[in-house]
Amino acid sequence: MRARIAGTGSCLPKLRVTNDDLGRVMDTSDEWIRSRTGIGARHLAVEETTTSMSVSAARKAMEEAGIQPEELELIIGATVSADHVVPPLSCEVQRELGAVHAAAYDLCAACSGFVFALNTAQAYIRSGMYRKILIIGAETLSKLMDWQDRSTCVLFGDGAGAAVVCADADGGVLAGVQGSDGAKGMVLACAGRPVNHPFASHAADLQYVQMNGQEVYKFAVRTVPMCIDQALLKAGIQPEQVKLFLLHQANLRIIEAVAKRLKQPMEKFPVCLEECGNVSAASVPILLDRVNRDGMLKRGDCIVLAGFGAGLTWGAVVLTW
Ligand code: ACO
């Protein structure tokens, strides 16, 4: 048995903030952001929460898959920005859906989270432990941004994407790879709460996301083609046989560099960062839902999903639709 994606869904907050909107509240411009990243707009949560966006995305995915909440056996939430430290996002989603028979937990692998969740779902399905799994990538990154730091806050957005993954004898995940390099983790970091109890206190201001953009760029253009190559080799698939490469949406220049290294045309690399910005763990499932709902995938098509980000973490999955 393999893990096959049986339905997808996504949700963006209502508030759409363009680069020009940002230029009215900070020292930046559409020209600077667009030319360096390809980002034109992002959606930011106002009333929405990580849970509410996840639930909306999950309902759409379950509707397409024809799955009732009670049938779900496992929910994996991939996020770095759950609404609470505890309970996990996945448990909040379980409550809202009424998925009473599912186990639920979160997985934290930043922008690679959804790809790690799909690899995890594949492992469960291959082992025979579960047959119907909901995986979610969801973020409210606007909470973690320093809105005084124009070099980071303009890059990110909020949103959620989900997929129902079912055991299937015919198609689905052919191969997956994933990796991490904790030694380089501080190039993209966000500190947690400091120690604060009656016996010790490390006074610290609230910390936000800090990034060495050029180091992240170098890591991404080196590692993403390598892990896609590894996954394709493992699957016995040539790049030419792949219909679409769905990459984490951090930066158009990174995607172009990966396409060039793989010697594949940019038409095979759809993007949604122009509209969504970088939504970390939600980027890949939002893009997947868009290409699915735009009718760009038909049964049997071979696609590659690839994520990379904080940790550092990276991963790729080769699958047939
Ligand atoms: N608007 C206008 N000017 C800005 C802005 C802004 N929003 N942000 C920074 N600048 C200025 C800087 O102050 C600096 O000015 P100076 O030369 O007078 O000091 C100048 O622009 C250049 O700044 P750099 O940080 O060197 O800009 P760079 O060309 O490296 O581009 C970027 C930054 C887009 C982040 C780039 O490094 C990059 O693409 N990195 C890849 C990492 C990435 O995409 N990360 C996203 C999240 S990580 C992930 O998802 C895995």
Side-chain angles (χ1 to χ4, degrees):
M1 284 292 170
R2 293 201 175 106
R4 190 173 74 79
I5 295 178
T8 64
S10 61
C11 174
L12 293 176
K14 281 196 200 77
L15 178 66
R16 180 176 185 270
V17 176
T18 64
N19 294 342
D20 286 332
D21 293 332
L22 287 181
R24 284 188 272 279
V25 295
M26 66 182 72
D27 184 12
T28 192
S29 64
D30 181 59
E31 194 281 322
W32 193 96
I33 301 170
R34 203 179 279 275
S35 63
R36 280 173 179 75
T37 69
I39 296 168
R42 73 285 298 140
H43 291 244
L44 301 181
V46 180
E47 301 296 332
E48 300 86 352
T49 64
T50 311
T51 303
S52 72
M53 293 186 287
S54 300
V55 169
S56 168
R59 287 202 170 112
K60 291 173 198 161
M62 288 164 60
E63 189 183 346
E64 191 190 6
I67 295 273
Q68 297 303 313
E70 303 78 21
E71 294 177 67
L72 288 173
E73 296 163 309
L74 179 66
I75 302 173
I76 305 175
T79 186
V80 297
S81 52
D83 297 322
H84 298 98
V85 176
V86 282
L89 167 67
S90 52
C91 292
E92 300 211 71
V93 171
Q94 178 199 24
R95 177 194 66 220
E96 295 302 308
L97 294 177
V100 290
H101 301 304
Y105 66 88
D106 285 2
L107 171 161
C108 182
C111 309
S112 312
F114 185 81
V115 170
F116 276 42
L118 183 53
N119 274 328
T120 306
Q122 161 80 344
Y124 279 122
I125 285 173
R126 288 211 89 141
S127 76
M129 189 162 170
Y130 297 119
R131 297 177 61 85
K132 293 175 183 174
I133 302 175
L134 172 66
I135 58 175
I136 297 165
E139 305 287 5
T140 310
L141 294 172
S142 54
K143 295 186 293 195
L144 303 181
M145 291 301 130
D146 177 356
W147 287 93
Q148 307 302 317
D149 176 9
R150 64 181 180 168
S151 69
T152 52
C153 69
V154 303
L155 304 175
F156 296 91
D158 301 332
V164 170
V165 178
C166 294
D168 194 287
D170 292 338
V173 173
L174 300 176
V177 297
Q178 51 194 25
S180 306
D181 182 4
K184 299 210 180 73
M186 296 316 283
V187 302
L188 177 51
C190 182
R193 293 188 193 189
V195 162
N196 182 17
H197 57 67
F199 307 98
S201 178
H202 302 322
D205 293 335
L206 256 187
Q207 297 288 308
Y208 296 98
V209 168
Q210 291 179 326
M211 180 180 73
N212 180 334
Q214 285 166 9
E215 284 303 314
V216 173
Y217 185 89
K218 282 189 260 177
F219 149 69
V221 297
R222 191 178 58 243
T223 311
V224 180
M226 178 200 73
C227 79
I228 291 176
D229 275 341
Q230 286 171 348
L232 287 171
L233 192 67
K234 218 169 150 184
I237 297 283
Q238 298 299 316
E240 293 69 31
Q241 293 172 264
V242 177
K243 180 158 186 192
L244 296 176
F245 294 86
L246 307 182
L247 268 50
H248 169 52
Q249 303 283 293
N251 186 311
L252 187 60
R253 290 189 305 164
I254 293 175
I255 298 170
E256 287 170 346
V258 173
K260 200 168 161 196
R261 289 201 185 188
L262 292 173
K263 299 190 176 63
Q264 294 298 301
M266 265 308 278
E267 296 73 54
K268 284 189 175 188
F269 292 75
V271 292
C272 65
L273 54 68
E274 205 278 337
E275 178 60 25
C276 307
N278 178 347
V279 205
S280 189
S283 280
V284 170
I286 289 172
L287 182 61
L288 177 65
D289 185 48
R290 290 191 165 207
V291 299
N292 179 26
R293 285 177 194 272
D294 286 350
M296 292 167 73
L297 295 172
K298 60 177 194 310
R299 189 87 197 238
D301 283 344
C302 182
I303 63 170
V304 171
L305 310 184
F308 55 94
L312 298 170
T313 58
W314 60 90
V317 175
V318 183
L319 59 91
T320 54
W321 194 247

